[in-house]
Structures are given as structure tokens and as C-alpha cells.
Amino acid sequence: MQIDLSGRTALVTGSTQGIGLAIATALARAGARVVVNGRGEERVADAVRTVRAGSGSEDVTGAAGDLATEQGAADVLRAVPALDILVNNLGVFGSADPLEIDDAEWRRYFEVNVLSAVRLIRACLPGMKERGWGRILDLASDSAVAIPAEMIHYGMTKTALLAIGRGFAKDAAGTGVTVNSVIAGPTRTGGVEQFVRELVGDELPWDEAQRAFMVKYRPQSLIQRLIEPEEIANMVVYLASPLASATTGGALRVDGGYVDSILP
Ligand SMILES: NC(=O)c1ccc[n+]([C@@H]2O[C@H](COP(=O)([O-])OP(=O)(O)OC[C@H]3O[C@@H](n4cnc5c(N)ncnc54)[C@H](OP(=O)(O)O)[C@@H]3O)[C@@H](O)[C@H]2O)c1
């Protein structure tokens, strides 16, 4: 399968580290012009250098801005050209006693994880429709369909993204623009690696440590290891490509078989 994204411009939100950084690198490697994003200029500049080095492409720029705010979104949109590919990767997560999550925290999760995506879709979708081609991808999670009791606020935002993806796909019907969600499972990012080490200790080599973690704490996983960020990025690059032209309004899983269901 040859994936060539040359001539396409992509914005990956929240891409100074983790899954977003892997997605930005993979899109650049496939030939797309890529814009990386995070809240601070310095971290964004570092990420631009990392993506350039990892992809061999110089066509990588940064747009700093806090996408949880209207002002931040406006700053980012001013810095980006017309987008062909929008990857709403930005998302925060954490665990909390569900009865202790106050109104402010519910609002923060909604604004960072959901409204940030809706705002960018609202801004980018009309231009994509006019040009007759576009790809919108929202990073959901296994927590969208298997809501963890200690992460209800997070799960709520990811379920909302599935609804938003399906809805905007209908809005884009017949235009050449597709909208999909990617359901990522437990993935090896800095934060998750630290979490694994806290639970299983520092003695075991990484492969054994992650297997011990998965077997004890994430037994539903069929691959019994964490997912590598590049494995999520592979799905995103495919969905962002012309090859995925008949896939829209869907939720595609890269969850290592974590969600115990046949669909989606
Ligand atoms: N890791 C997992 O196991 C996992 C599993 C399922 C789904 N996911 C989903 O995958 C996505 C990426 O997860 P991750 O683990 O890679 O995240 P991460 O390592 O925590 O990175 C989050 C990124 O978002 C940026 N960011 C945070 N707040 C921002 C804001 N208000 N505006 C703009 N950028 C902001 C951060 O950059 P700065 O700090 O530089 O601003 C950083 O680049 C999320 O949507 C997450 O829910 C992750």
C-alpha cells in the first residue's frame, strides 16, 4: 500500500509528545506538510525539530496555543494555512473519585477534550467541503466505550468525541470529506510508562515490566503489552490518506483487543 500525502497540510493538536508526536512524525514521513501544536513556544519548537529529524522532512512548522480556549484556537488557526487533515489528538486524562469531581473539573475536561475539537472542526470543515477533500480524525479511547469508574469525566469526553465524529461525518456527507474516530487503547507514552513503573517497580526489564502490568492491571488486552504510539499513528496515516476514502462516520480500534466487543 503506497500512502502519499504530499501536497496535503495537516494539523496535529497536542503533538509536543506522546501519541501526537508520533502521528505528526508519521504524517510528515508520508509527505504531508505538518503543523505541530502544544501550549508553549519552546516545547513546540523542540517538537518541530524532533518531527523533522524523525521524518526527514523540513516541511514541519509549529503553532503554539492553548486549544482549550477560544483565544488559543484563534491564534493557532491564524498560524495555519488551509488544512486538508485535522487530527484532534489533544486530550488530558487522570483518575479521580467520581463523587469528588466538582463542576469546574467536569467543565475543564469538556473544554480541553471536547470543545477544543468541535471548535477546530467548525473552523476547518467548511473549507474542506469547498475544496472537495478533507480528513478529520478524533482521538478517542477504550474509555469511550468501557467507562472506568475512576475516570468517568475522561470517559464522558471520549464518548462525546465518538458522537461528534459520527455527527460531523453526516454533515460532510457527499463532499469528499471524511470524519472518523480512532479508539486508542493503553499506549506507551511517558506518563503511562511512569505509571507502570510505579505499580510494578524498576527491577524488571521494560518488556517484562509491561507484561506484568498488563496481565495484572489490564487483563482484557489481547496483545498483553502496551501499544506503541507509532501503531496508533499507522491507523491515523491510513485514515488520513486517499486510500481510506470509503471510511467515514466510523470508530476504528487500535486498542490491542482491549474492548471486549466485535463492533466497532
Ligand atoms: N496514552 C494512552 O494510553 C492513551 C490511551 C487512549 C487514548 N489516548 C488519547 O490519545 C491522545 C494523546 O494522548 P497522550 O497520552 O499521547 O497525551 P500526552 O502524552 O499527555 O500529551 C498531551 C499533549 O497535549 C498537549 N496539550 C495539553 N493541553 C493542551 C492544550 N490545552 N492545548 C494544546 N495542547 C495541549 C501537550 O503539550 P504541552 O504540554 O506542550 O502543551 C502534549 O503534547 C489523547 O487524546 C488521549 O486521551 C491516550
Side-chain angles (χ1 to χ4, degrees):
M1 225 188 285
Q2 298 291 325
I3 294 184
D4 181 9
L5 297 180
S6 48
R8 310 285 189 198
T9 301
L11 168 68
V12 185
T13 69
S15 48
T16 59
Q17 63 180 48
I19 296 171
L21 186 63
I23 293 172
T25 306
L27 288 171
R29 212 176 276 147
R33 187 179 308 123
V34 171
V35 184
V36 296
N37 157 261
R39 286 161 296 184
E41 299 284 354
E42 214 167 295
R43 276 172 58 76
V44 168
D46 276 352
V48 168
R49 280 189 286 276
T50 307
V51 174
R52 285 183 178 167
S55 64
S57 165
E58 285 301 302
D59 225 350
V60 184
T61 54
D66 181 345
L67 292 173
T69 68
E70 263 180 81
Q71 184 58 52
D75 293 344
V76 169
L77 287 167
R78 242 193 325 276
V80 299
L83 285 180
D84 304 298
I85 300 164
L86 168 64
V87 184
N88 285 312
N89 166 75
L90 163 61
V92 291
F93 46 95
S95 56
D97 177 339
L99 297 177
E100 299 296 326
I101 304 169
D102 62 16
D103 290 3
E105 192 65 344
W106 278 103
R107 282 197 194 96
R108 184 174 81 87
Y109 267 78
F110 181 76
E111 288 186 1
V112 178
N113 290 7
V114 182
L115 205 47
S116 65
V118 173
R119 221 180 254 128
L120 292 180
I121 294 172
R122 222 165 40 204
C124 298
L125 185 50
M128 290 178 179
K129 284 193 207 170
E130 244 173 66
R131 293 186 294 279
W133 199 91
R135 297 285 184 264
I136 296 175
L137 294 156
D138 300 317
L139 257 290
S141 160
D142 53 83
S143 301
V145 281
I147 312 286
E150 76 291 357
M151 294 174 93
I152 300 178
H153 52 342
Y154 174 67
M156 170 278 292
T157 65
K158 295 297 171 180
T159 314
L161 286 177
L162 299 187
I164 286 159
R166 180 72 194 161
F168 278 109
K170 288 183 179 173
D171 182 73
T175 64
V177 180
T178 67
V179 188
N180 289 292
S181 308
V182 173
I183 297 184
T187 304
R188 182 186 180 179
T189 54
V192 171
E193 200 170 326
Q194 198 181 333
F195 183 59
V196 170
R197 286 298 183 189
E198 277 164 23
L199 289 172
V200 303
D202 288 326
E203 298 80 39
L204 293 173
W206 171 251
D207 274 354
E208 284 173 48
Q210 66 162 320
R211 199 164 296 275
F213 166 79
M214 295 304 285
V215 169
K216 183 159 181 199
Y217 297 100
R218 298 287 185 275
Q220 309 95 304
S221 167
L222 301 184
I223 58 173
Q224 296 190 347
R225 62 167 174 81
L226 289 169
I227 297 157
E228 294 296 326
E230 291 71 23
E231 294 177 286
I232 313 281
N234 289 341
M235 175 67 92
V236 171
V237 170
Y238 167 68
L239 290 172
S241 78
L243 297 183
S245 46
T247 301
T248 191
L252 290 295
R253 284 164 53 181
V254 192
D255 69 342
Y258 187 87
V259 176
D260 192 1
S261 107
I262 297 168
L263 292 173

